[in-house]
Amino acid sequence: MLMTEYGGAPCSDLYIIPETSMYHKLERILPNVRKPARYTGGEYNQIIKNPDETEIRVALCFPDIYDIGMSNLGMRILYGVINKMPGVWCERVFEPWSDMAAALRENNIPLYGLESGDPIKDFDMLGFSVGYELSYPGILNILDLAGIPLKSRDRTGLAPIIFAGGTCMYNPEPLADFIDIAVIGEGEELDLELIELYRRAKRANWSKERFLAEAAGIDGVYVPSLYHVEYNEDKTIKSITPKKPAPPVVKKRIVQELDKSWFPVDTIVPSTEIVHDRTVLELFRGCIRGCRFCQAGYVYRPVRSKSREVLVKQAADALENSGYQELNLASLSTSDYRELGALCDDLLDWCEPRNISLSLPSLRADNFSMELLDRVQRVRKSGLTFAPEAGSQRLRDVINKNVTEEDILSACRTAFAGGYNAVKLYFMIGLPTETDEDILGIVTLAKKVLGVFKESAKNKNRGVRITVSTSCFVPKPMTPFQWEKQDTPEEFERKQQLIKDNLRTRAIHYSWHNPQVSLIEAVLARGDRRTGAVLEAVYKKSGGLQAWDECFSYDAWRSAFEEIGINPSFYAHRERSYDEILPWSVISAGINKEHLIRESKLAKQGKTTPDCRQRCSGCGANSLMKGLSCDG
Amino acid sequence: MGKTRLRFSKTGKAKYISHLDLMRTFQRAFMRAKVGIKHTEGFNPHAYISIILPLALGCESICEVLDVEITDQTPVSLIPERLNPCLPEGIEVVSAFEPIKKPGELKYLRFRSKYMYEDGNTGPNARHIKDKLHDFFRHDTLAVIKKTKRRQSAFDLKPYIKTMDIRAGQGESLTIEAVVSAQNPSVSPALLRMAIDQLEPSLSPSFFEDKRIEIYDSNMNIFK
């Protein structure tokens, strides 16, 4: 029996897939790949439209596999808002796992949209959601699997237009040769404006150049080909010159009122298990904390919350519609939601009778309470995670993680006394000004947590499991640490060994990140246009999926750097001066450079900045609010 | 209210949904349809859903059965129409009823496999293969080596094939329809191919499609 018709999805016009569909070819390869349900579409709530009544076909692409991409709330929001546009059909595309990629190539099946099965090379626009630097080669892999020329200049027609958004686009330069457009900031309104402009262009038969020039006039649109970059002899940037009509600075776009912004309550429910297989509720955007290493904390400003009433309604609708039995309260620092206790009570009133549990991503140790924990874990119990980030108070002050040792220990005390016997502690190593003393502070803190367990645990016989996890610091654009140097992989390894040597207790488990991956992340995070050639070389040598341990090839990256003549240390291990022109100078997240410099200097002095609720530090994000106030 | 058996089909794209994912899919579909079902007690409650004869990934079926306990007042007859709009493409509940037989009484399975032989001009012709396959399955014994993680053992599947019919289809394909033991021991379409692969590899198809057609009790009455 062949796959000939769609059903299940609540959609007005049922469209019958033609017999010539590539699904007939796919039938031959799907039985031989792992988790074939990733590649079929057909899930509950997918959106099907009639192509004959569709003016614009959009592929929303995610440069990682289905399991990861379907877990991304941004993808779900954009899928929903774009499909609400009349005459526009937005489909999903994920990067296939290597077995499927090989099978597609071998059988000459071009990459297709999951909903229709139609090749995306014939679509009007491809929009990439890019949140992780290591996924850049995946973008090229998707384009290549689709049969689309990789370089923007080799795609001369109007279609397909390749645009990209997401956190990585605060420095889109490594992708400048490949994408036509970067959309900066939140996409709910911006992407729709871009698609509407494309509709005009298609109707009036504009050239690609005309379309890009007009697009550059939309706030938040960055067209890399409209900027000319010149370099100094020392390889730093000499100048970035916009060509008319491109603006000198592209400022990010935000949604003003989150309560009124569209939230996907009728979202796709995958038929195969994904990484975050639950309903996600976004409580607010932005963060009041100002941790100096945290890119998300800076680029998602200003703080905008949803009201309790809207959240409860959206949660109930989304849970009813999806049938999920877990609700995750997501935000950068969820426990900073002003009415979290009351919100949890309201949600539990609805969830408990239906066997639905609440979960929080991670907790801040300074406003942690058993009362909150009881609410969250009432139906299902899971482990606890705290992120002290640094081992000593001095270093926590440098990074502005305003959490004290006593906060952490008392949070653990409360948890252990409440019956918990597993705690995860997250740290970063290689932070600016770090010494071995700070590293050993991680060990000391973990041992103190163990001591607290012995003192206060309700049931000591069950034993305790403390997990210490260290990641490697990567300096990111738009943060006060954007000028800092990163530790070399050798230095990271030495510090990891120092922890291993001093953490010889069975009750404490230590895990660490691969410093080689972090080096590549650092190069690309602050890379300029010249690093684009490396991406092309790496994807040819080692394919996409570089974010996966089993696919990541340090050798491929190293030899690509060598061939292209790029020194990774120039990007990762070099401290910049405040007046150097950074590759992302033309992009603005709405934060003043003066604020970042001030924070950078305070960090060097080991001085903290209070959170935004205690005192506004004047970062500038307020100016993005039109008539409304930050955190209002 | 009470113990309920659903008969459903799993065809088209849905054939790529694995057994475990199918259980989750049904659990969520019940939630979406607002049909209350029994959950386990304890810290980690999950729905009691039992699929009597797990279906291999890639195999279609029009005769799947699933047991569940309904805890609210939803009339059994209304369950298909309540559940169907809440299921993904390719899964359709055909009927719901109070179970008559115990799961252990499910004895026989009828399935249909399409074998394709597409080795180009040099490859064997389907009509010719048909006769050979016929002879193959007429052997007194068909012992296959089944490998598990720990050991391997020989299993003669011949006694567990109740009936078999092989027809030449269009072009280079054959259709095999068989009634086999459904459980204890279970004979699957894949096991028949394993026998061919091991004992007469020249008859191995280049591609195949499997579909379960019907399930029966020991008297060849449709299992309900």
Side-chain angles (χ1 to χ4, degrees), chain A residues 429-430 434 436 487-496:
Chain A
I429 57 173
E434 185 179 75
D436 283 0
D487 274 354
T488 60
E490 295 72 31
E491 183 64 0
F492 277 128
E493 276 162 22
R494 190 189 65 78
K495 288 176 177 175
Q496 288 168 348

Side-chain angles (χ1 to χ4, degrees), chain A residues 22-56:
Chain A
M22 81 167 85
Y23 275 119
H24 300 303
K25 274 180 163 180
L26 274 181
E27 290 256 4
R28 292 302 173 100
I29 62 175
L30 287 178
N32 300 318
V33 299
R34 283 173 58 197
K35 286 196 165 196
R38 288 166 175 164
Y39 310 114
T40 60
E43 308 95 319
Y44 181 71
N45 269 339
Q46 71 167 359
I47 295 172
I48 300 295
K49 296 187 180 183
N50 182 346
D52 298 335
E53 291 160 23
T54 301
E55 192 176 7
I56 297 170

Side-chain angles (χ1 to χ4, degrees), chain A residues 1-3 5-9 17 23 26-31 36-37 40-44 46 114-115 269-273 277 320-325 354-356 379-381, chain B residues 11-18 21-22 24-25 27-29 31-34 39-40 42-47 57-58 60 84-90 116 118 206-209 211:
Chain A
M1 181 131 169
L2 296 165
M3 294 184 271
E5 61 182 359
Y6 280 102
I17 295 239
Y23 275 119
L26 274 181
E27 290 256 4
R28 292 302 173 100
I29 62 175
L30 287 178
T40 60
E43 308 95 319
Y44 181 71
Q46 71 167 359
L114 283 185
E115 279 75 2
V269 183
S271 305
T272 178
E273 196 175 19
D277 217 359
E320 276 198 342
N321 195 293
S322 64
Y324 276 126
Q325 290 191 296
R354 295 168 176 83
N355 277 315
I356 294 168
V379 184
R380 257 165 251 190
K381 232 175 195 185
Chain B
T11 57
K13 290 177 179 180
K15 75 180 175 192
Y16 299 112
I17 299 175
S18 72
D21 286 333
L22 183 68
R24 267 190 285 268
T25 296
Q27 183 175 337
R28 286 168 192 159
M31 293 287 288
R32 299 195 274 260
K34 294 190 188 153
H39 278 67
T40 57
F43 280 121
N44 198 354
H46 58 272
L57 193 73
E60 290 189 307
N84 280 334
C86 300
L87 283 163
E89 185 180 332
M116 278 155 269
E118 298 159 323
S206 53
F207 190 71
F208 54 85
E209 286 166 0
K211 189 175 201 165

Side-chain angles (χ1 to χ4, degrees), chain A residues 474-524:
Chain A
V474 178
K476 295 268 167 129
M478 309 288 173
T479 68
F481 289 163
Q482 63 177 356
W483 296 281
E484 297 293 332
K485 62 181 171 52
Q486 188 190 40
D487 274 354
T488 60
E490 295 72 31
E491 183 64 0
F492 277 128
E493 276 162 22
R494 190 189 65 78
K495 288 176 177 175
Q496 288 168 348
Q497 194 57 48
L498 192 60
I499 297 175
K500 281 180 230 172
D501 290 342
N502 286 280
L503 205 58
R504 297 192 184 274
T505 328
R506 263 219 327 228
I508 306 175
H509 175 82
Y510 177 48
S511 69
W512 59 92
H513 281 207
N514 177 352
Q516 297 172 338
V517 174
S518 302
L519 168 65
I520 305 304
E521 207 181 313
V523 171
L524 298 177

Side-chain angles (χ1 to χ4, degrees), chain A residues 281-286 328-335 337 361-362:
Chain A
L281 193 62
E282 187 186 24
L283 306 191
F284 61 99
R285 284 185 194 169
N328 185 251
L329 306 183
S331 280
L332 291 175
S333 176
T334 299
S335 50
Y337 184 72
S362 77

